[in-house]
Amino acid sequence: MKNGAFATTVTILFAIFMLAPIVVVIAVSFTPEGFLEFPPSAISLRWYRAILDNPDFIDAFIVSLKLGLVSATIATVLTVPAALAIGRGQFRGREALQALFLSPLTVPTVVLGISFLRFLSLFGVNGTFIGLALCHAVIIIPFVLRLVLASIIGMDPSIEKAAVSLGARPLTVFRRVTLPAITPGVVGGFVLAFITSFDELTVSIFIVNPSTTTLPVRLFSHIAQTTDPLVASVSTVAILFTVIVMLVVDRLYGLDRLLIGEGRR
C-alpha cells in the first residue's frame, strides 16, 4: 500500500512538473500588459487579437500545416513497404535496412540541419517547400517505422496466408487484408510524424527562406527581437491545435491503439 501511495505521489508530481510550463504560457497569454506577467493582473484577449494583426504568424502556421501533411505523407508512403520488408522478410541486410531508417534519431539535429543545407544547395533547392518537405520526411521516418513495424509484428500472418490460399493476388492481399489490419499503426505513425514535423525548429532554421518560414522558426525569430505576450498567445493556439488533433484522432481510432501500433487480430 505504501509503495502504491509513493508511486501515485511521484506520478502526480511528475505530471505537475510537465504541465506547469504549459499552464504558465497559457496564463501569460491572457495578460493585458505589454510584457510577460504571471499571474496576469487581469484577463484580456489583447494578444490573441494581435495575432490577426500579424499575418506573418498566420502565414507561418499555414506553411507548417502544409509541411506537416506533405512530409508525413511522404514518410508514410516510403515507410510502409520498408516496414513490411523488415517485419516479414528474411534477407541479408535486414538489420542494416532497419538501422538506416532509424538513423535520423542518432544524429544531432544541428548536424542534420547543416548537412541538409549543404545537400540542398548542391541541387539549388535550398529554401524551397519541396526541399523542406523532403528533409522533414527524413527526420520523421523513424516515428512512422516504429509504429507500423509494431502493427506488422503484432498481426497474425495466417490471415494473409489464408487470403493467398483462396487465390488473392499480392496487391489484393495488401489492399484488402494487410493494410486494414495495420491501419492503427499507419495512422498513429502519420499523426506522430505530423506533430513532429509541425514542431520542428533546429533543422528548419537552416533551410527555410522568407516564403517557407515555419511557425517555430517565426516564433524563434520573434523572440530574438523582442519578448512579449504575443509569443505566449501564438504558442497557446499551437497547443490548442495539437490537443484538438489528438482528441479527434482519439475519437476516431483511440490513442492507446495508435501509440502502441496495435494491429487488428
Side-chain angles (χ1 to χ4, degrees), residues 14-72:
F14 181 74
I16 293 174
F17 177 77
M18 293 291 292
L19 293 175
I22 298 177
V23 172
V24 171
V25 168
I26 295 175
V28 169
S29 69
F30 289 100
T31 181
E33 306 297 338
F35 51 88
L36 300 179
E37 179 189 37
F38 180 82
S41 57
I43 301 299
S44 171
L45 297 178
R46 170 188 174 184
W47 295 105
Y48 288 92
R49 290 191 294 267
I51 297 176
L52 301 178
D53 297 329
N54 288 268
D56 288 344
F57 282 104
I58 298 176
D59 293 341
F61 177 85
I62 294 174
V63 170
S64 290
L65 183 62
K66 292 179 179 178
L67 181 62
L69 292 173
V70 172
S71 59

Side-chain angles (χ1 to χ4, degrees), residues 7-219:
T8 301
T9 303
V10 171
T11 302
I12 293 175
L13 291 176
F14 181 74
I16 293 174
F17 177 77
M18 293 291 292
L19 293 175
I22 298 177
V23 172
V24 171
V25 168
I26 295 175
V28 169
S29 69
F30 289 100
T31 181
E33 306 297 338
F35 51 88
L36 300 179
E37 179 189 37
F38 180 82
S41 57
I43 301 299
S44 171
L45 297 178
R46 170 188 174 184
W47 295 105
Y48 288 92
R49 290 191 294 267
I51 297 176
L52 301 178
D53 297 329
N54 288 268
D56 288 344
F57 282 104
I58 298 176
D59 293 341
F61 177 85
I62 294 174
V63 170
S64 290
L65 183 62
K66 292 179 179 178
L67 181 62
L69 292 173
V70 172
S71 59
T73 301
I74 295 173
T76 303
V77 170
L78 293 176
T79 302
V80 170
L84 286 170
I86 295 170
R88 293 293 172 80
Q90 297 295 332
F91 55 91
R92 183 177 298 178
R94 176 172 170 268
E95 291 77 10
L97 179 63
Q98 182 175 354
L100 175 64
F101 274 79
L102 294 176
S103 60
L105 292 177
T106 65
V107 181
T109 50
V110 173
V111 176
L112 283 175
I114 297 173
S115 301
F116 285 143
L117 173 62
R118 178 58 178 167
F119 179 78
L120 296 178
S121 298
L122 291 175
F123 295 94
V125 291
N126 183 45
T128 63
F129 182 84
I130 186 60
L132 190 59
L134 291 175
C135 292
H136 274 223
V138 172
I139 298 170
I140 61 182
I141 274 179
F143 301 99
V144 184
L145 180 66
R146 285 182 169 183
L147 293 184
V148 176
L149 196 56
S151 287
I152 293 172
I153 294 175
M155 178 185 172
D156 187 355
S158 62
I159 302 176
E160 295 173 306
K161 294 179 181 178
V164 173
S165 66
L166 293 173
R169 296 179 179 276
L171 184 59
T172 302
V173 174
F174 173 76
R175 183 171 54 88
R176 302 287 296 274
V177 179
T178 307
L179 186 58
I182 65 174
T183 294
V186 175
V187 175
F190 181 90
V191 172
L192 189 58
F194 169 79
I195 294 175
T196 303
S197 173
F198 187 88
D199 192 48
E200 168 57 40
L201 169 65
T202 308
V203 171
S204 300
I205 205 168
F206 285 95
I207 51 181
V208 299
N209 66 21
S211 63
T212 58
T213 299
T214 62
L215 184 60
V217 175
R218 180 64 65 188
L219 282 171

